Amino acid sequence: MTRPNIVFIFSDQQRADTMGYAGDEVAITPHLDRLALEGSVFTRCLASSPVCMTTRASVMSGLQVHQHGVWAFADPGIRFGQSHVRNIQAAGYRTGVVGKTHLWRHGDGHARDHLEEMADWGFDDARETTGPSESVNTDSIYTDYLAEKGLLATHRNYLNLYLNSQRPLPWELPSSQLPTEAHLDMFIASLAEDWLHDNASESQPFYLQVNFGGPHDPWDSPPEYRRMYNADDMVPSIGAEQSGPVSPLVALLKEHAPAKLYQMSRAENQVMKANYYAKVTLIDDCVGRVIDALESKGLMSNTWIVFSADHGEMLGDHGLLAKKNFYEGAVNVPCLFRPPGGGDSRQSRALMSHLDIVATLIDIAGAAELKKSDGRVLRPMLKGGLQDTHQPAVLSELGLPPSVYTMLRTDRYKLSIDTRSRAAIDLYDMQEDPDELHNLVNESDYQLIKSDLIENMLNPMISDLDTSAW
């Protein structure tokens, strides 16, 4: 039997709940909705870390953050360790990546300077861009394209406006000044089309990562995408009063955020959300282009399409933007598996993580398993009917040593600790309090639950954590 191809689509800073298939009545996401209709949706997929470079190191290596040690900034040296891409390559697959990898720290220079690093990770053909903001200083095939079209100054002037100290607030940011076809994510979609044209063949299966730069801020989608949304239709962010102590992660974020962010009106909040949704729809159209390219080559009947994101986006919930915390908006990410030829539409609440996605990609390819990985293969569930139980708990980790934090998520509870001291900082009953408004960490009725979670679940999961170098 011919082995299946795999296309792993990975967006940046995309919430799990802002798509039509997730029950959002406002979101315009027909292509992702189609994948969900023809495949399996996991509604509780937790990011390895609510920050970009850290999560991407976990996705590549199949390791927990405390195992690979990339707590905040990329460490190119870990490419000499294990790589799920290299294992798939060794199984006979043609491997490639287009778009943003964030496996190295951006600065002066060109992405092509890192082609050897991409080869070390196991990519036969890497066509790499940066994310949107990084393209101010780091060149790539995208900035080369903009320069050729006479658009590079327009692009960088816009980003400099967005990034300067007097930057517009999220509800004030104008649309992209670029033609729609020149937008970064549209360019990445074209890279995927070209890669499939150049590499897809009947003689060798392929594994392609398509890494979009959005819907990460700036929420700069072209005007026609913004016109798709009426701000008055947007459900305001979670803004109810919270009880219990504020975690040090949240306190630090609020200390450094613009004061106006916490004073935004309902109307400003709705405009901000509409701008984000417009970029979600832009990403959805880019996903549609990848699907169209597969269909035009007759590949949909023998290709797995997998969709996820590196982390979420707070989008004003609890007065926060972006990530770097353990609230659901930041750590819950989309997860879709569409099998070759499509299948029945199924949905599972089973707890899972990025590492389970990686283990499943390896299993689909028939590649060697990664060592020391906590990832568990999902394919038995994909074949035999989804269940709501996969594993009892998952981790998410964040910090800059020696300040490091770990979150444990079980079916009912979410617990966060200071990793070095093992002191609890957050405890939420996700069954009774899904909006995470009541931090129970100091409540007397929950002390036994807290200690049990730390001692019997969390501590064993991080038993190989080494703090000696901190």
Side-chain angles (χ1 to χ4, degrees):
M1 177 180 288
T2 303
R3 285 181 295 169
N5 306 306
I6 306 168
V7 175
F8 181 25
I9 303 173
F10 205 57
S11 62
D12 194 326
Q13 211 152 303
Q14 185 151 0
R15 290 174 65 110
D17 58 358
T18 53
M19 279 78 72
Y21 74 79
D24 192 309
E25 297 180 355
V26 177
I28 303 169
T29 54
H31 304 293
L32 290 170
D33 295 348
R34 173 190 170 180
L35 295 181
L37 187 64
E38 298 177 358
S40 299
V41 176
F42 293 87
T43 61
R44 295 197 295 177
C45 180
L46 278 293
S48 298
S49 177
V51 69
C52 184
M53 287 180 272
T54 305
T55 274
R56 289 167 191 264
S58 287
V59 169
M60 291 299 294
S61 67
L63 297 174
Q64 303 280 14
V65 179
H66 71 269
Q67 294 172 321
H68 61 62
V70 180
W71 288 99
F73 301 108
D75 174 10
I78 72 165
R79 72 187 188 276
F80 300 117
Q82 63 187 29
S83 163
H84 87 265
V85 179
R86 199 182 312 118
N87 283 25
I88 291 175
Q89 181 189 52
Y93 275 69
R94 174 75 174 167
T95 58
V97 60
V98 299
K100 172 184 176 179
T101 70
H102 229 174
L103 297 173
W104 43 273
R105 294 183 71 170
H106 297 126
D108 293 340
H110 198 285
R112 64 170 168 259
D113 300 334
H114 299 269
L115 282 174
E116 184 176 343
E117 294 173 31
M118 295 300 104
D120 289 337
W121 278 113
F123 291 114
D124 294 311
D125 184 356
R127 307 180 186 187
E128 191 177 6
T129 71
T130 68
S133 295
E134 294 85 3
S135 63
V136 170
N137 297 313
T138 307
D139 287 315
S140 69
I141 50 178
Y142 177 58
T143 58
D144 294 344
Y145 161 81
L146 292 178
E148 180 184 337
K149 297 292 184 181
L151 296 169
L152 184 56
T154 299
H155 173 69
R156 285 181 165 164
N157 287 341
Y158 178 93
L159 287 174
N160 282 322
L161 167 70
Y162 169 70
L163 294 170
N164 70 30
S165 59
Q166 301 300 314
R167 69 171 66 183
L169 290 161
W171 53 88
E172 300 171 339
L173 187 71
S175 294
S176 170
Q177 306 302 302
L178 296 174
T180 300
E181 66 273 11
H183 191 281
L184 171 63
D185 292 307
M186 286 293 181
F187 180 77
I188 292 171
S190 71
L191 290 178
E193 293 167 338
D194 292 344
W195 194 97
L196 290 168
H197 178 270
D198 295 342
N199 290 277
S201 71
E202 295 181 0
S203 61
Q204 183 182 22
F206 64 81
Y207 169 57
L208 173 64
Q209 287 185 8
V210 183
N211 295 347
F212 290 113
H216 193 292
D217 56 285
W219 301 327
D220 59 344
S221 52
E224 64 266 33
Y225 284 91
R226 288 197 173 184
R227 288 195 293 269
M228 294 180 182
Y229 289 93
N230 182 344
D232 291 338
D233 295 334
M234 308 308 296
V235 177
S237 305
I238 298 171
E241 186 176 351
Q242 295 177 263
S243 65
V246 177
S247 84
L249 285 171
V250 173
L252 187 64
L253 291 173
K254 291 191 172 184
E255 178 184 342
H256 293 285
K260 289 184 179 179
L261 182 61
Y262 310 111
Q263 301 164 2
M264 75 174 103
S265 66
R266 176 188 175 97
E268 290 167 338
N269 178 264
Q270 289 175 300
V271 170
M272 176 187 73
K273 292 192 71 170
N275 290 348
Y276 178 78
Y277 275 60
K279 199 156 182 180
V280 168
T281 297
L282 173 69
I283 295 299
D284 185 79
D285 276 355
C286 293
V287 171
R289 289 180 59 178
V290 177
I291 294 172
D292 289 346
L294 291 167
E295 287 187 322
S296 70
K297 295 185 71 66
L299 295 169
M300 289 289 280
S301 62
N302 192 39
T303 300
W304 281 89
I305 302 175
V306 182
F307 177 78
S308 190
D310 57 354
H311 50 75
E313 160 61 54
M314 288 303 295
L315 201 57
D317 287 347
H318 307 292
L320 298 172
L321 290 181
K323 59 268 187 181
K324 297 183 180 178
N325 64 81
F326 295 127
Y327 285 126
E328 285 294 279
V331 296
N332 195 16
V333 294
C335 180
L336 301 174
F337 279 83
R338 189 265 190 196
D344 296 331
S345 179
R346 296 181 288 188
Q347 189 172 108
S348 171
R349 296 184 68 256
L351 278 176
M352 57 163 299
S353 74
H354 281 133
L355 304 191
D356 299 320
I357 296 176
V358 171
T360 306
L361 296 174
I362 288 173
D363 180 68
I364 289 169
E369 294 180 2
L370 293 172
K371 299 175 181 178
K372 290 179 62 178
S373 178
D374 291 337
R376 299 186 183 184
V377 176
L378 295 162
R379 202 143 68 119
M381 296 176 67
L382 300 176
K383 283 183 174 181
L386 294 191
Q387 305 166 0
D388 286 335
T389 302
H390 178 58
Q391 50 187 323
V394 293
L395 295 179
S396 187
E397 301 174 281
L398 173 69
L400 190 62
S403 297
V404 169
Y405 304 92
T406 302
M407 183 271 283
L408 176 82
R409 180 72 159 90
T410 68
D411 181 60
R412 179 163 183 172
Y413 294 104
K414 179 187 286 187
L415 171 79
S416 304
I417 66 164
D418 179 302
T419 311
R420 292 197 74 185
S421 69
R422 306 297 162 97
I425 57 176
D426 282 324
L427 177 64
Y428 292 102
D429 183 336
M430 301 301 293
Q431 180 176 300
E432 299 296 327
D433 181 26
D435 287 344
E436 300 170 280
L437 296 174
H438 308 295
N439 185 0
L440 305 170
V441 70
N442 291 335
E443 296 290 326
S444 57
D445 291 346
Y446 289 85
Q447 296 312 298
L448 286 177
I449 292 172
K450 180 177 69 176
S451 60
D452 179 62
L453 290 171
I454 293 174
E455 293 171 15
N456 297 320
M457 297 196 77
L458 194 153
N459 283 346
M461 294 178 75
I462 58 173
S463 60
D464 54 351
L465 171 66
D466 181 6
T467 62
S468 60
W470 300 355

